[in-house]
Amino acid sequence: MSSRKKTLLKVIILGDSGVGKTSLMQQFVNNKFSQQYKATIGADFLTKEIQIDNNKSVTLQIWDTAGQERFQSLGVAFYRGADCCVLCFDVTNEKSLNNLTSWKDEFLVQSNVSNPQDFPFIIIGNKIDVDDSKKIPSLQKKLHNITHNQLGGLNYPVFETSAKDSVNVEAAFEVVAKMALQQEELNAANGGDVNDDYNDAINIHLGSESSSCC
Amino acid sequence: MTTARNSTKYSRSYKDEDDAEYNRGSQHLKVQSRNLHGHQRNGSTYSRSISLLDIYCAESPSRATGDSPSANVGKLDDDEIDSNLAQSLDELQILSSNESVGASPVAAYDRSNSTLIGGNSYSERPSSIMYVKPTTASVEREVLNSNVDRYGFKKVSTLSKITAPQYDRWFKEYSDYSLRRKKKWEILMKSHGLGLKLGHPQTPASSVKSVEDIPTRFPPRSDKVKKMVRRGIPAEWRGNAWFFYAGGYERLSKHEGLYDQVVRDTANIKNKDTEVIERDLFRTFPDNIYFNASLSAGGGGSPSSSSSNNIPGATSSNEETLLIKCLRRLLVAFAHYQPQIGYCQSLNFLAGLLLLFMSEERAFWMLVILTERIIPKVHAANLEGVHTDQGVLMLCVKEYIPHLWGILGTTFEGEKLSEDKMLSRLPPLTLVTSSWFMSVFVGVFPIETTLRVWDILWYEGSKTIFRISLTIFQLCVDSPEFQSRRSHGTDESEQIELFQLMQNFPKNLLDPNLVVDHCFKKIGGYGFGSLSQDEIDRCRSFVSKQREKLNSNNRRKDLTEMTPEERNSLVISHVDDGNIHDVYGFHRPIMSGMLWNKSISNKVKKKFQAKKKD
């Protein structure tokens, strides 16, 4: 119903605590890195306007989230209407890699997107500036294993980045923007927010009514 | 999982001290030596489960316990106890007789315990270290010439737009204010027979250099003291004053040695919590020289110590500072002691700030007091307390700033939330306000403003968080930024804009007096002081009950998704689903000044608007 005329693309960054979500966002939006980011409580967002595909200008609204699991219960409102989701891990932290799948699932459950099968996700492995000896052993194999077996065999783009040294960050977000734009256009073609029921008490009512008539 | 030690803790009913009716009769005046062994770990846990409702009915920091006479025992070093004991006891006598409290507690004082209290084996942060630079004219000059403030924070933060010259301009003025306030505090202390220079009669009070010169006990609660606290506690007294008014001494004396024990138990522990803690240690106050050794190389001050003047722990730039080590131990111990909370991000900010002002053990108990009594379950695994308190805050906004509610009571999708639905669908902005509660404004305001709020919080309790939150909202609504930036586009962009504005707005509120005065002043301010603890407690109970209903409905919903038969049968039982749509009624005292008038005019306005629509 609501045909929001936006070139505004909403991007959600998810991943375990400390993988560098805030740093990635700051590096991309403000071109700076600081050792002094504080742990993110709740959520924060920044916007950046970029040009993609023949000077088409879009505004990325990038949401940075708290990585600790329990914060999931707070931050569901802003998942809705997301156009792309960035799943982050830390190349020195195997657990953060293994958790990618649950972050994806969590997002799909909470965001209630209409096309979970081909919703655009992108994977970012951050901190490649760190010494090789500290990196996850046979990372490529493990990553391959996860993307193919656990993330549904879908070929999500993978980027290895360093928010610290600004390696690949720009490139990754350019792909994010393109994917998000596609998703946005798809949504627009489907008539906007199709799947708009809510996981709460109000819909119990609606849900029950509709079920009683069939 | 209930252990014996909690069975009666919350059953006492306290009075709201708003009317300065502080019931001294219920004080616990005994040093409870038998409790030394009273807290045995039950199985593998120290935990318990208490309903939020129970807690909300009993919340009130220290009302019964704020000034236990064991007060200054914890403060003294072992070797000083002998010499100071007599004097302390004399003072206790004075205090006791002033307040018509019997002298029996003094008799119950057990010296062998006192040495235990003073024992410091668990802590590498000796209580003799003073990180906070005292309120003196020379410190004012020192801070003006430094790139760090009184507390070791960099004056210019990446988080706000405040520049060094802006900071200095403000600090110059505020420092004079602080000096004036300190003089008033000294007079107040004297009028209560509380000596300021226990062991150092030769030291002039204005040149406090070490912790021995800082008072350990404070005047009993009164309207006068409340006003003094609202105008700010002298920076270097804060740790002791917070601890005193929050009921820290009672906790400490009840659980002597317990922190020590928990630290020993957790010395080599490794689990999910410790992993997250480890990652957060250096992300707590990276802009503070006592938490980030690499900063102190670049100048800044050193904390005063009674024994020496070297920077504690911050010897080489690549080493962990002493406070980082304290923070790790404290957070790990806390996670172990409160397994139903474990480690929750934002506890690091709370513990970190406490550590700048008091010893590790005291900071631990303050964190326990905060999470058990003041903002219960806010850090729990499901963050239930956050949800409840955001619901309460939203009800307060609707009541006190209806104009703002009209804007923020809208989802990102543009749906207007009616009062009966707001609890099940908290507005997007509560994502911002959640952190106000979880971090109790640490990182939300510039540090001095946060500290002034903390002064009030430890004295007055949780209503402070709601009052200050409302003040931020109202200040923001009245600000030119709000007026000019308010988007008239789609609902979503309006919500997004509001979100960003509310997130950034408090970061630039450098002047604490602006915030505090607006909060409490009835004339020239918003008069949010009329929002009583009683109101907050009732509102919390209401929201908590609503959420319980909601959750049980949601559980039923899960069932309905299982089989169509079950579903159909449940449809029938769902007919009275409307019962979650209760509406909370605020209690309005008839004489609450401007606010009362404002409220009436708002109600009249609303009625007119409603009529127009009709």
Side-chain angles (χ1 to χ4, degrees):
Chain A
M1 205 171 78
S2 62
S3 58
R4 290 168 293 174
K5 46 174 187 345
K6 62 166 187 181
T7 46
L8 182 76
L9 304 173
K10 192 164 166 184
V11 177
I12 316 283
I13 308 183
L14 299 178
D16 281 7
S17 145
V19 299
K21 298 180 291 297
T22 305
S23 298
L24 281 165
M25 179 176 82
Q26 288 288 347
Q27 180 58 263
F28 173 65
V29 175
N30 295 324
N31 300 311
K32 64 178 184 193
F33 176 79
S34 162
Q35 300 280 7
Q36 297 188 14
Y37 295 126
K38 298 184 172 188
T40 307
I41 307 297
D44 202 356
F45 77 90
L46 290 174
T47 54
K48 179 168 179 163
E49 201 164 301
I50 61 166
Q51 312 279 328
I52 49 169
D53 295 343
N54 307 326
N55 297 329
K56 188 173 172 54
S57 162
V58 296
T59 305
L60 288 183
Q61 180 189 90
I62 304 167
W63 286 79
D64 177 25
T65 59
Q68 202 181 11
E69 273 167 55
R70 64 185 74 185
F71 285 88
Q72 289 292 305
S73 73
L74 297 179
V76 291
F78 69 93
Y79 283 14
R80 298 177 190 283
D83 298 306
C84 180
C85 177
V86 182
L87 303 171
C88 291
F89 71 99
D90 170 353
V91 294
T92 67
N93 177 350
E94 187 156 356
K95 210 176 205 173
S96 71
L97 172 67
N98 294 331
N99 278 342
L100 288 181
T101 320
S102 31
W103 282 112
K104 180 197 161 190
D105 292 344
E106 180 67 30
F107 174 81
L108 287 177
V109 169
Q110 301 290 0
S111 65
N112 217 353
V113 296
S114 54
N115 55 337
Q117 271 307 303
D118 41 42
F119 184 85
F121 287 94
I122 172 174
I123 295 165
I124 290 184
N126 190 34
K127 305 195 189 176
I128 54 164
D129 51 278
V130 175
D131 193 73
D132 277 347
S133 62
K134 289 184 182 163
K135 286 181 187 162
I136 306 170
S138 49
L139 171 62
Q140 294 310 325
K141 206 191 272 177
K142 283 169 186 159
L143 187 58
H144 184 269
N145 182 35
I146 283 179
T147 50
H148 283 73
N149 300 333
Q150 292 180 37
L151 292 173
L154 299 161
N155 282 315
Y156 297 133
V158 179
F159 283 87
E160 292 192 5
T161 64
S162 162
K164 189 181 173 194
D165 298 340
S166 185
V167 176
N168 256 345
V169 178
E170 199 91 7
F173 276 97
E174 201 171 299
V175 172
V176 166
K178 283 179 187 166
M179 290 166 66
L181 187 62
Q182 253 176 11
Q183 171 73 5
E184 166 63 18
E185 282 163 355
L186 182 79
N187 273 348
N190 288 345
D193 303 319
V194 215
N195 213 337
D196 212 14
D197 58 55
Y198 290 94
N199 187 17
D200 61 32
I202 289 92
N203 286 292
I204 303 168
H205 216 61
L206 296 172
S208 339
E209 271 168 9
S210 58
S211 70
S212 63
C213 63
C214 35
Chain B
M1 289 229 202
T2 308
T3 66
R5 86 183 177 93
N6 314 296
S7 50
T8 59
K9 187 181 296 166
Y10 298 106
S11 59
R12 259 183 258 152
S13 78
Y14 302 120
K15 276 180 146 178
D16 183 17
E17 88 283 10
D18 226 9
D19 308 315
E21 279 291 326
Y22 176 42
N23 184 357
R24 309 207 135 261
S26 64
Q27 278 182 86
H28 264 261
L29 291 175
K30 284 180 196 153
V31 175
Q32 296 176 328
S33 55
R34 65 181 183 281
N35 275 352
L36 185 58
H37 305 289
H39 184 92
Q40 296 294 340
R41 292 179 61 195
N42 254 0
S44 63
T45 177
Y46 304 86
S47 91
R48 69 215 134 261
S49 85
I50 304 158
S51 140
L52 265 185
L53 288 175
D54 297 340
I55 304 172
Y56 289 151
C57 295
E59 193 242 328
S60 67
S62 76
R63 260 158 233 173
T65 60
D67 25 19
S68 153
S70 59
N72 61 352
V73 173
K75 196 57 222 158
L76 300 173
D77 293 327
D78 296 2
D79 52 352
E80 279 174 352
I81 282 177
D82 285 346
S83 59
N84 285 340
L85 187 57
Q87 192 177 351
S88 316
L89 292 180
D90 284 344
E91 287 197 12
L92 286 173
Q93 297 280 18
I94 294 164
L95 186 70
S96 303
S97 57
N98 282 349
E99 294 157 29
S100 24
V101 175
S104 54
V106 178
Y109 187 85
D110 180 353
R111 274 184 55 184
S112 64
N113 278 338
S114 70
T115 52
L116 281 174
I117 299 173
N120 249 344
S121 59
Y122 47 82
S123 171
E124 282 181 39
R125 183 216 190 282
S127 46
S128 60
I129 294 180
M130 200 163 75
Y131 287 94
V132 178
K133 294 229 167 72
T135 314
T136 63
S138 63
V139 165
E140 177 183 337
R141 285 191 298 275
E142 204 183 310
V143 170
L144 286 173
N145 290 323
S146 165
N147 61 353
V148 296
D149 69 9
R150 194 189 280 291
Y151 314 99
F153 289 100
K154 284 168 79 177
K155 291 198 280 195
V156 179
S157 152
T158 47
L159 293 169
S160 77
K161 287 177 195 147
I162 298 160
T163 62
Q166 275 174 322
Y167 181 94
D168 287 344
R169 210 175 312 133
W170 163 77
F171 182 75
K172 241 178 172 159
E173 200 178 306
Y174 191 76
S175 176
D176 292 343
Y177 170 84
S178 310
L179 286 167
R180 286 199 304 276
R181 294 313 307 170
K182 190 174 174 188
K183 285 218 177 75
K184 300 231 168 170
W185 271 97
E186 285 166 351
I187 293 166
L188 178 78
M189 300 296 277
K190 275 187 193 128
S191 75
H192 282 84
L194 294 166
L196 287 171
K197 301 152 279 180
L198 272 178
H200 306 261
Q202 74 284 9
T203 319
S206 55
S207 67
V208 182
K209 274 284 176 331
S210 66
V211 284
E212 284 86 356
D213 300 316
I214 292 171
T216 55
R217 283 182 305 112
F218 294 83
R221 289 160 182 280
S222 68
D223 270 353
K224 169 78 182 162
V225 174
K226 184 170 78 181
K227 276 189 190 124
M228 290 289 287
V229 169
R230 286 181 181 176
R231 285 171 190 162
I233 298 170
E236 67 276 24
W237 294 11
R238 277 189 166 122
N240 286 355
W242 294 347
F243 194 72
F244 181 87
Y245 286 117
Y249 286 112
E250 199 216 22
R251 289 280 172 146
L252 194 61
S253 67
K254 262 190 190 167
H255 304 293
E256 283 161 30
L258 180 64
Y259 179 67
D260 203 359
Q261 179 64 43
V262 182
V263 167
R264 272 199 299 270
D265 290 350
T266 53
N268 296 308
I269 205 169
K270 283 226 156 43
N271 57 34
K272 217 175 172 182
D273 285 332
T274 60
E275 219 174 273
V276 188
I277 289 170
E278 212 50 49
R279 274 197 292 267
D280 279 357
L281 290 176
F282 297 94
R283 302 197 295 163
T284 301
F285 295 131
D287 54 342
N288 186 294
I289 56 169
Y290 307 125
F291 287 86
N292 185 348
S294 66
L295 291 178
S296 59
S302 57
S304 318
S305 161
S306 57
S307 48
S308 61
N309 269 334
N310 58 343
I311 303 175
T315 44
S316 120
S317 63
N318 284 327
E319 264 174 39
E320 283 181 359
T321 63
L322 180 58
L323 283 193
I324 289 283
K325 290 186 177 117
C326 292
L327 184 60
R328 175 187 291 117
R329 267 196 307 270
L330 198 165
L331 290 173
V332 171
F334 182 85
H336 189 69
Y337 177 73
Q338 303 274 51
Q340 74 282 19
I341 293 175
Y343 175 66
C344 176
Q345 291 190 309
S346 72
L347 288 176
N348 56 327
F349 298 128
L350 304 175
L353 193 60
L354 287 168
L355 280 171
L356 279 175
F357 291 87
M358 62 187 75
S359 75
E360 200 178 316
E361 182 182 36
R362 287 179 175 214
F364 174 82
W365 289 113
M366 290 293 270
L367 202 57
V368 172
I369 289 169
L370 184 76
T371 53
E372 263 185 11
R373 216 162 53 188
I374 302 179
I375 42 172
K377 303 222 168 171
V378 158
H379 300 89
N382 59 1
L383 304 186
E384 180 59 26
V386 179
H387 292 280
T388 308
D389 282 347
Q390 299 322 295
V392 173
L393 180 62
M394 289 305 115
L395 287 169
C396 291
V397 169
K398 191 161 191 292
E399 181 70 14
Y400 285 84
I401 320 176
H403 162 67
L404 179 64
W405 173 253
I407 301 165
L408 65 84
T410 309
T411 66
F412 278 149
E413 289 79 17
E415 186 192 334
K416 293 270 177 212
L417 295 172
S418 59
E419 182 167 355
D420 57 348
K421 285 180 187 169
M422 69 164 85
L423 299 178
S424 53
R425 294 270 300 278
L426 286 171
L429 193 69
T430 54
L431 201 57
V432 176
T433 53
S434 296
S435 77
W436 297 356
F437 282 71
M438 299 189 75
S439 320
V440 197
F441 302 112
V442 178
V444 172
F445 289 126
I447 191 65
E448 187 64 37
T449 306
T450 304
L451 291 169
R452 285 283 299 277
V453 173
W454 278 39
D455 288 345
I456 303 167
L457 174 85
W458 298 113
Y459 187 92
E460 299 193 44
S462 65
K463 63 186 172 200
T464 309
I465 308 180
F466 294 92
R467 289 167 168 181
I468 296 294
S469 296
L470 285 175
T471 307
I472 300 176
F473 281 142
Q474 187 70 62
L475 282 171
C476 185
V477 166
D478 292 347
S479 72
E481 290 103 307
F482 183 85
Q483 305 296 339
S484 65
R485 288 180 57 177
R486 214 188 116 187
S487 139
H488 298 283
T490 64
D491 283 322
E492 175 164 1
S493 65
E494 189 176 20
Q495 287 301 308
I496 293 286
E497 209 164 353
L498 186 68
F499 189 103
Q500 200 155 39
L501 182 59
M502 283 295 179
Q503 193 142 46
N504 293 328
F505 183 76
K507 287 177 187 160
N508 297 314
L509 294 170
L510 183 59
D511 180 14
N513 286 329
L514 178 91
V515 176
V516 174
D517 288 351
H518 273 90
C519 180
F520 292 108
K521 278 194 176 162
K522 285 179 183 161
I523 296 164
Y526 305 134
F528 289 137
S530 66
L531 175 61
S532 71
Q533 187 68 52
D534 187 50
E535 186 84 74
I536 293 296
D537 292 344
R538 284 194 303 118
C539 196
R540 275 174 156 179
S541 298
F542 169 82
V543 173
S544 190
K545 276 181 202 148
Q546 297 303 306
R547 288 190 51 81
E548 265 173 30
K549 284 186 199 170
L550 191 70
N551 288 339
S552 71
N553 280 344
N554 276 344
R555 272 196 293 280
R556 278 192 280 170
K557 187 196 165 200
D558 289 341
L559 286 176
T560 61
E561 285 169 354
M562 286 184 169
T563 70
E565 290 78 22
E566 266 179 317
R567 213 190 238 174
N568 278 336
S569 75
L570 277 167
V571 167
I572 298 154
S573 68
H574 264 278
V575 171
D576 65 342
D577 185 46
N579 67 358
I580 67 151
H581 297 163
D582 297 338
V583 169
Y584 182 77
F586 274 81
H587 221 269
R588 286 204 167 270
I590 289 180
M591 295 306 290
S592 65
M594 297 298 284
L595 199 71
W596 180 66
N597 294 330
K598 224 163 124 188
S599 153
I600 285 199
S601 61
N602 278 328
K603 275 181 182 150
V604 171
K605 256 190 233 162
K606 260 193 241 164
K607 273 193 185 146
F608 273 115
Q609 279 163 356
K611 272 186 188 161
K612 264 186 208 165
K613 275 177 200 163
D614 289 344

